[in-house]
Structure formats: structure tokens, C-alpha cells
Amino acid sequence: MAKKWLFGFLGWAIFGPMGALIGFLAGSVFDIFSSGQISDGSESGGWTTSQQGNTRTYTNTRTNSDQYRTGQRNSFMMSLLVLSSAVIKADGRMSDSELQTVKSFIRANFGAQAAEEAETIVRQLMAKDVNIYEVGTQIRMYMNYSQRLQLFQYLVQLAQCDGMVQAEIDVLQSIAAAVGLQDSDRDSLLNIYRKDVDSAYKVLGIDRNATDEEVRKAYKKMALKYHPDKVATLGEDVQKAAEEKFKRVQQAYEQIKKERGM
């Protein structure tokens, strides 16, 4: 396992999301140095070296914006793995489809090597007791609301992959409370993969008694809240994953319009 992922996992286990981030970045530097990627006058991974007399200086050439985005992505990834283990354990077993869902998401957003290392981390986490509320408190400190929504959508997708059961719904509701989601957003995302009209209303955060104008307003509100640009700092691939949530809101609206003849 690359040291950055190992350090990140250990950092999370001890200090939470920020510990994971610090561990990940420390491990990245360790990997660079141990692999000999940094040499005099060369550039690698955003680092350059210079030599003046007996003094060698290592400089991070990445912009503050690059560092911020990297930090956001790494914190998101570690949060995702820890909470994934809680959802997977809810029904007392880990299915192949659940493991493949985790690996597919990590592979698409962080690469093939990260996907294999993520499997190792998830298997280790399965033997740990995850305090959802402690983790959630730290996530609220380091992720904005839109990022937490995206994280929760992924967890709902994970629970759905082998058929969502009540034990998983209970854990998801606890996670939603722990990370500070509004009840309407929690219920919207819990219903986002369902096809019936009643679920379409829940996706928009309204009930069947809503007027046509209230339906339109609810759609505009949810479309704005779930817009993929809200998670741009997590990278293009996570942003693409967010597009599914956005499309589901559009589909729910079209379903309601068709039923009402709007």
C-alpha cells in the first residue's frame, strides 16, 4: 500500500478527517522521497529542489488553490470510506456488490491503485466500531453543505446496490443527522433512486397537496441546491457523479408534471 493511503488511514483512525488529510499529505511526501522522484532541479508532484552550497531547499510549487482542492478531495475520500464501512456493516455482512460499488467510485475519482488500497482500508474498518456522531461532527467542520450532500448521495447509492433494508436506512438517517443535513434533504436523497410518483414528490421535498406553482418553486430550489458546480472543488470526476443527483431531480419534476398534466 502506498504510504500516503496508509498514513491517511492511520491519521483518520487517530485524529479524524484532518488527521487523515495530514497523514495523506505526509505519506505523499514520503512516497516521493522514497521513490527517488525528487532530484536536483527536477519537478515532481508539485515539488522542486534547489541547491545552494551545502543547503538543499524543497519547495511546493502548487498554488494554494491546488492544495485546497487536494485537501478537499482527500478528506472527502477518507470520510467516504469510513462511513461506507458503517453502511455496509448495517445488515451484518459485506456483499460483493457493495465492495465493488466502493471500488468503482474510488477508481473513477482517485485511480486504480487507490481503489485497491481502498478495499484494504474498508476491510480493516469493518473490524472497527465507527462512532458516526464523532465522525459527523468532524465532517461538518471540514466539508461544506453541498459536499456533505454529495457524500450522503453516494452512501444511499451504496445501500441501494444490493437492496436497501431497514437497518441501512436507520444508519443512513443517523449519518444524515450526524453530518447536519436537513430532514427534507435527507428524505429527498433517500428517495432519489426510487421510480414511483410518491417518491418523486419526496425528492423535491414536497407532498401531493402542493400547488403547481409550489412544485415549480421546489424544483428550482432543489436544482440549484444539487447543481454539480457546488462540488467543483472535489474534482471533475466527483462533479460528474453529482450530475446523476441533478438529473434525478429533473426526472422527478418531469414525472410530477406528466402526472398533473402541467
Side-chain angles (χ1 to χ4, degrees):
M1 178 182 294
K3 296 299 185 293
K4 60 187 177 183
W5 296 97
L6 177 60
F7 285 19
F9 171 63
L10 292 175
W12 179 285
I14 299 170
F15 300 114
M18 283 307 291
L21 174 55
I22 294 168
F24 188 97
L25 296 178
S28 295
V29 175
F30 184 94
D31 283 341
I32 291 169
F33 274 84
S34 62
S35 65
Q37 292 177 26
I38 295 182
S39 59
D40 292 343
S42 68
E43 285 195 21
S44 179
W47 292 82
T48 62
T49 65
S50 60
Q51 187 91 24
Q52 213 171 27
N54 294 324
T55 302
R56 175 175 289 188
T57 302
Y58 296 94
T59 304
N60 190 340
T61 59
R62 287 181 176 173
T63 65
N64 288 336
S65 177
D66 289 338
Q67 292 171 336
Y68 175 77
R69 287 171 181 268
T70 298
Q72 290 281 295
R73 283 173 62 79
N74 295 342
S75 185
F76 183 87
M77 188 278 300
M78 295 308 299
S79 302
L80 182 149
L81 293 181
V82 172
L83 292 180
S84 290
S85 72
V87 173
I88 291 171
K89 282 192 290 188
D91 61 0
R93 64 187 182 89
M94 179 169 63
S95 68
D96 288 339
S97 57
E98 288 173 324
L99 185 57
Q100 289 307 314
T101 296
V102 174
K103 291 177 66 176
S104 294
F105 188 89
I106 296 295
R107 184 182 298 110
N109 293 282
F110 299 92
Q113 182 181 355
E116 297 306 316
E117 291 162 353
E119 178 179 354
T120 301
I121 290 173
V122 169
R123 289 187 182 279
Q124 291 173 345
L125 285 166
M126 294 294 289
K128 285 182 167 289
D129 291 325
V130 174
N131 186 320
I132 289 172
Y133 289 93
E134 256 182 34
V135 173
T137 297
Q138 294 174 325
I139 286 173
R140 288 201 308 274
M141 292 172 64
Y142 302 115
M143 283 189 195
N144 66 39
Y145 194 78
S146 294
Q147 292 166 348
R148 284 178 269 151
L149 283 174
Q150 184 57 32
L151 178 64
F152 190 71
Q153 183 214 345
Y154 159 78
L155 295 172
V156 172
Q157 181 182 352
L158 175 62
Q160 285 275 17
C161 73
D162 61 350
M164 190 186 295
V165 298
Q166 187 59 48
E168 291 170 323
I169 294 174
D170 292 342
V171 168
L172 286 167
Q173 289 176 331
S174 295
I175 290 172
V179 301
L181 296 189
Q182 298 172 11
D183 289 350
S184 58
D185 290 331
R186 175 202 65 200
D187 294 341
S188 173
L189 290 172
L190 283 173
N191 286 276
I192 205 163
Y193 293 104
R194 295 175 180 170
K195 305 290 187 182
D196 59 287
V197 177
D198 286 337
S199 295
Y201 280 98
K202 291 178 182 178
V203 168
L204 295 189
I206 53 177
D207 59 35
R208 281 184 170 273
N209 295 324
T211 65
D212 289 354
E213 183 59 26
E214 287 172 335
V215 170
R216 294 187 186 95
K217 287 181 178 179
Y219 166 67
K220 290 178 181 178
K221 177 183 176 182
M222 297 304 280
L224 179 63
K225 181 178 290 188
Y226 289 173
H227 197 283
D229 286 350
K230 297 281 189 177
V231 293
T233 58
L234 297 179
E236 290 184 8
D237 292 318
V238 174
Q239 199 171 5
K240 287 179 181 177
E243 289 176 4
E244 180 182 1
K245 180 167 80 262
F246 186 68
K247 288 176 181 176
R248 295 276 179 171
V249 169
Q250 293 176 315
Q251 290 170 0
Y253 180 52
E254 292 300 325
Q255 192 172 5
I256 292 171
K257 285 204 304 180
K258 182 177 180 180
E259 183 206 34
R260 291 184 171 216
M262 291 171 60

